[in-house]
């Protein structure tokens, strides 16, 4: 069974600023400091690239899609995620 964690990445940040096991924990952090950014449920011990391929959400069809440059920047809207503005979830 696949495990997941929640990662918060603030607007304009180069790196994430929080990693949580539970959504509620992450949202408490975001709300406490009135943060803006995105919270994403990420597969644990698996890249997003590999996860989307395994789930059938993505199939690399071009040579460059197998390159490290492509894979290191790869993300997917198929990951559960939420946007926040000043600590509030945007619906």
């Amino acid at each position: 069974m696949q495990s997941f964690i929640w990662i918060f990445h603030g607007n304009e940040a180069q790196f994430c600023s929080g990693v949580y096991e539970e959504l509620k924990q992450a949202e408490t952090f975001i709300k406490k400091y009135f943060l803006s950014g995105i919270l994403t449920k990420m597969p644990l011990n698996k890249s997003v690239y590999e996860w989307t391929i395994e789930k059938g959400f993505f199939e690399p069809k071009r040579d460059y899609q197998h390159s490290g440059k492509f894979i290191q920047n790869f993300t997917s809207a198929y990951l559960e995620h939420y946007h926040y503005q000043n600590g509030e979830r945007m619906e």
Side-chain angles (χ1 to χ4, degrees):
M1 180 173 162
Q2 180 71 56
S3 296
F4 292 87
I5 57 171
W6 289 94
I7 296 182
F8 180 75
H9 192 233
N11 288 351
E12 300 180 31
Q14 189 170 8
F15 301 103
C16 73
S17 59
V19 179
Y20 297 90
E21 290 181 300
E22 301 293 330
L23 175 62
K24 184 176 170 80
Q25 295 170 311
E27 289 191 318
T28 298
F29 165 70
I30 293 165
K31 191 172 268 256
K32 179 179 181 180
Y33 295 104
F34 305 96
L35 304 179
S36 297
I38 188 167
L39 182 64
T40 307
K41 187 177 181 180
M42 303 286 287
L44 191 58
N45 299 320
K46 186 169 300 281
S47 72
V48 175
Y49 178 81
E50 294 168 319
W51 182 81
T52 57
I53 291 170
E54 287 178 8
K55 295 291 182 185
F57 298 138
F58 175 73
E59 181 183 343
K61 295 181 179 159
R62 296 184 170 80
D63 287 344
Y64 78 90
Q65 293 174 332
H66 296 276
S67 73
K69 186 175 181 179
F70 180 82
I71 295 167
Q72 72 191 18
N73 289 295
F74 188 86
T75 190
S76 173
Y78 284 103
L79 293 167
E80 184 178 349
H81 63 282
Y82 302 101
H83 297 267
Y84 296 83
Q85 188 70 38
N86 298 320
E88 296 297 323
R89 188 192 294 187
M90 307 306 292
E91 298 292 333

